[in-house]
Amino acid sequence: DECAYYKEDAGKMMLGAFEPAAKPWGMDGIREDFCFDQLPEDMDHFEPILEMGVNRMPMLASAGIHTFFNGPESFTPDDRYYLGEAPELGGYWVAAGYNSIGIVSSGGAGMALAQWINDGEAPFDLWEVDIRRAQPFQKNRRYLKERVSETLGLLYADHFPYRQFATSRGVRRSPLHEHLKARGAVFGEVAGWERANWFAREGQEREYRYSWKRQNWFDNQREEHLAVRNNVGLFDMTSFGKIRIEGRDALAFLQRLCANNLNVAPGRIVYTQMLNQRGGIESDLTVSRLSETAFLAVVPGATLQRDLAWLRKHLAEEFVVITDVTAAESVLCLMGPYARDLIQKVSPNDFSNEKNPFGTWQEIEIGMGLARAHRVTYVGELGWELYVSTDQAAHVFEAIDEAGAEFGLKLCGLHTLDSCRIEKAFRHFGHDITDEDHVLEAGLGFAVKTGKGDFLGRDAVLRKKESGLSRRLVQFRLADPEPLLFHNEAIVRDGRIVGTITSGNYGHHLGGAIGLGYVPCRGEGEADVLGSSYEIEIAGERFAAEASLRPMYDPKAERVRV
């Protein structure tokens, strides 16, 4: 609470501080010979901390100050250090920003980096500190000055679920941003993108009120969630990363990197993973074949730089061009049982299963514009992802919004996208699936085609098939409708802790908190795993949980193919 720490130091008492609002330094550059030198004293800045220190330890009032040391520390825009190979420069490795969590990480970080350099792949999941999460625009000095003044103070603040940064906002915005804002959107930020997380009602406060229990937007999420399940909802997913992979050897290149079979007809969409040598998941993506020589990969906005770096690193002698086209297209996701009825009101094209079955795309007219309609879903309902040129996105949104009044169209945010996907047990990269999670143990074997020929990770898949799974990703639903799940809660099997929840959200249709997590199962079949009694431990209290290896919502995917 006092933002201070104390320790004995050679017979003296040292008082140090992590002030709530830091003082940025070095914005005009740092001289080459600077080596953690001392900066000019600034008692005015430190005085509030010192006053609280004297109140805590009165002896400081009379002891006198032997040394007043004002020195710089390095903090990153998200409080997590940078580790790994620079995405723009092969063979250049980085370990920086360690004051973000202190030298306590040094031994482990050094070991991990050494192994990473030696093996060419991270030894375990390091995504939270991976330098590839950094965005190119984050080198902007005004952005850094504002953001790092906040991040230092947040390091030891309460890390509430869904907590949003207050500084350096609004850098990347969808063409629909002002439309959504006018309709009550409350925004969160990922990779610089302003994304509508939830929509406030008329007269409702458009701010987060953080809590470890139900936050002030819980009922808003419920209304959005049930609209998607029972009616129709619209999401702005412009933040998706979009990568064109094209050229004479594009197919051969993707076949070598992707676990699924990309040798499909133009117009098809393939869900796949890119694996490492251990069978771990480096990327989770969809790939649409645009033509004989061109493909579009769609990835999460937060992993775009990671995915670009992975693709470019593995480009050998193939004649292939890899281009980030994220800013070229907006994405409007129209999802729910009435999605087809609504889209037919604004487009003359045929959206029937015969013309546009699940897993295909088609060029369409919509309103007075053009788009590419992808028949896929991350919420588990009938729907389309509409890829629209950014200059036409506002018009297409207006056309859908106007026609949607007849169907009770509801604008939905990212919190609802996540609650819907977890009911369907769809995996979330970085939480449920990472580079240390084997693709078969993650339950994604249906997207792996070992018969297509060699690809990165194929040998590890075959070895796992031979040796058997050592753990399985299981979906859980709490029987008590009151508690919430976020991630890292303990999974208790037959009275013993066996793992942690990898991601959680509230299943408003299923009527309770839903979580995913890995359960050890060496030598066991599905019946053995499901035959146990499960509880989830939340803040020291254990709650009974139902377990399933199939999606609890629409396990046969009948709703997405209707």
Side-chain angles (χ1 to χ4, degrees):
D1 290 345
E2 297 173 358
C3 311
Y5 61 93
Y6 307 79
K7 73 170 187 174
E8 188 273 339
D9 182 45
K12 307 175 188 68
M13 178 59 65
M14 186 167 81
L15 165 63
F18 277 81
E19 59 267 43
K23 182 180 178 182
W25 172 81
M27 307 312 301
D28 296 323
I30 302 171
R31 68 177 192 270
E32 288 291 330
D33 63 344
F34 188 91
C35 184
F36 199 72
D37 207 343
Q38 189 166 355
L39 303 177
E41 293 184 4
D42 187 350
M43 185 55 76
D44 289 342
H45 185 72
F46 189 70
E47 189 172 13
I49 301 291
L50 181 58
E51 287 178 356
M52 289 189 289
V54 171
N55 182 63
R56 173 68 59 193
M57 190 175 286
M59 58 168 278
L60 293 177
S62 57
I65 298 176
H66 179 275
T67 303
F68 185 95
F69 184 85
N70 183 23
E73 293 186 318
S74 54
F75 282 80
T76 62
D78 60 5
D79 261 343
R80 306 194 305 270
Y81 52 83
Y82 290 137
L83 193 70
E85 188 175 19
E88 309 92 342
L89 188 61
Y92 188 89
W93 296 81
V94 177
Y98 276 80
N99 285 123
S100 293
I101 33 182
I103 60 172
V104 68
S105 296
S106 59
M111 179 275 293
L113 188 63
Q115 195 169 336
W116 197 346
I117 293 171
N118 184 71
D119 299 345
E121 294 178 355
F124 45 84
D125 176 27
L126 290 164
W127 174 235
E128 282 214 352
V129 296
D130 194 320
I131 191 173
R132 292 173 295 178
R133 76 185 188 280
Q135 303 299 312
F137 78 87
Q138 288 179 317
K139 64 184 178 182
N140 178 282
R141 279 177 285 187
R142 178 183 166 189
Y143 171 91
L144 288 172
K145 182 176 182 179
E146 294 181 10
R147 175 57 64 85
V148 299
S149 67
E150 178 185 13
T151 55
L152 180 145
L154 291 177
L155 185 61
Y156 293 106
D158 210 340
H159 290 199
F160 284 114
Y162 309 106
R163 185 160 192 163
Q164 302 295 324
F165 288 109
T167 58
S168 300
R169 295 292 298 269
V171 180
R172 305 174 80 183
R173 282 178 273 185
S174 155
L176 308 180
H177 181 87
E178 291 303 317
H179 270 306
L180 303 181
K181 183 179 178 181
R183 290 161 173 79
V186 181
F187 295 95
E189 180 255 327
V190 169
W193 281 104
E194 294 293 325
R195 309 195 301 181
N197 278 351
W198 55 282
F199 285 83
R201 306 184 194 95
E202 187 73 29
Q204 183 181 4
E205 180 185 33
R206 298 187 184 187
E207 297 286 343
Y208 278 88
R209 293 298 172 192
Y210 298 117
S211 168
W212 289 98
K213 295 189 176 181
R214 298 184 179 189
Q215 297 186 12
N216 60 318
W217 47 266
F218 184 83
D219 290 337
N220 302 71
Q221 180 194 34
R222 178 182 182 277
E223 293 171 5
E224 295 172 20
H225 185 113
L226 296 180
V228 173
R229 290 283 181 251
N230 302 319
N231 199 26
V232 61
L234 182 66
F235 302 83
D236 177 14
M237 293 304 298
T238 298
S239 60
F240 276 156
K242 311 165 197 86
I243 306 169
R244 280 186 71 104
I245 301 142
E246 51 197 327
R248 181 189 63 217
D249 301 323
L251 175 60
F253 173 64
L254 287 171
Q255 287 286 70
R256 181 165 62 83
L257 281 190
C258 295
N260 212 335
N261 185 10
L262 274 296
N263 191 12
V264 296
R268 298 291 303 182
I269 304 170
V270 179
Y271 173 60
T272 185
Q273 288 76 41
M274 291 191 285
L275 309 179
N276 54 38
Q277 296 286 4
R278 305 185 304 273
I281 299 167
E282 291 285 346
S283 179
D284 185 59
L285 65 161
T286 62
V287 180
S288 300
R289 189 163 194 178
L290 304 179
S291 70
E292 289 297 317
T293 58
F295 297 80
L296 179 74
V298 178
V299 302
T303 69
L304 173 63
Q305 298 305 318
R306 173 194 179 112
D307 297 322
L308 285 167
W310 184 261
L311 288 165
R312 289 166 178 162
K313 178 179 181 179
H314 289 89
L315 186 60
E317 300 301 319
E318 294 100 338
F319 189 88
V320 173
V321 177
I322 299 167
T323 310
D324 174 12
V325 295
T326 298
E329 292 183 321
S330 289
V331 185
L332 285 72
C333 298
L334 190 64
M335 299 287 157
Y338 292 100
R340 180 180 285 119
D341 298 317
L342 175 48
I343 200 170
Q344 289 286 192
K345 289 283 186 178
V346 290
S347 174
N349 293 86
D350 183 355
F351 295 93
S352 66
N353 279 321
E354 292 71 29
K355 172 64 178 177
N356 188 196
F358 185 78
T360 67
W361 65 267
Q362 61 171 328
E363 299 277 3
I364 66 168
E365 299 174 33
I366 185 164
M368 293 185 290
L370 301 173
R372 211 171 48 253
H374 291 217
R375 178 91 184 272
V376 291
T377 180
Y378 193 50
V379 298
E381 298 293 342
L382 170 69
W384 284 265
E385 292 177 358
L386 304 174
Y387 289 74
V388 187
S389 175
T390 51
D391 58 334
Q392 298 174 24
H395 164 71
V396 170
F397 170 84
E398 291 160 2
I400 294 172
D401 187 48
E402 182 180 353
E406 177 184 341
F407 302 94
L409 174 69
K410 193 164 189 64
L411 297 181
C412 301
L414 271 293
H415 292 331
T416 293
L417 186 86
D418 191 61
S419 62
C420 286
R421 72 90 192 167
I422 205 164
E423 283 193 331
K424 198 69 173 66
F426 288 150
R427 281 58 169 151
H428 184 277
F429 185 84
H431 285 99
D432 310 311
I433 49 177
T434 71
D435 51 14
E436 67 173 317
D437 298 314
H438 196 284
V439 66
L440 299 187
E441 294 179 342
L444 297 174
F446 65 90
V448 179
K449 302 296 187 292
T450 55
K452 72 169 185 173
D454 193 30
F455 58 87
L456 184 59
R458 181 175 183 268
D459 290 346
V461 171
L462 294 175
R463 287 195 301 269
K464 183 64 70 174
K465 285 185 175 181
E466 180 70 23
S467 65
L469 305 182
S470 59
R471 58 182 192 152
R472 290 178 180 269
L473 189 61
V474 178
Q475 185 183 31
F476 298 96
R477 183 181 71 87
L478 298 186
D480 185 336
E482 185 62 27
L484 302 178
L485 291 174
F486 300 110
H487 65 92
N488 283 352
E489 297 87 356
I491 299 171
V492 183
R493 181 183 185 186
D494 295 329
R496 186 172 65 92
I497 293 176
V498 295
T500 56
I501 293 294
T502 51
S503 72
N505 208 312
Y506 199 86
H508 293 281
H509 179 85
L510 294 177
I514 310 296
L516 297 173
Y518 288 91
V519 172
C521 67
R522 185 173 297 280
E524 296 181 327
E526 291 188 11
D528 299 307
V529 173
L530 297 179
S532 295
S533 172
Y534 289 95
E535 297 170 294
I536 308 298
E537 185 174 296
I538 305 170
E541 186 176 354
R542 294 183 176 182
F543 296 88
E546 174 191 357
S548 179
L549 291 170
R550 303 177 69 201
M552 293 182 180
Y553 181 76
D554 188 26
K556 296 181 179 179
E558 295 169 330
R559 294 178 67 90
V560 303
R561 302 177 189 277
V562 64

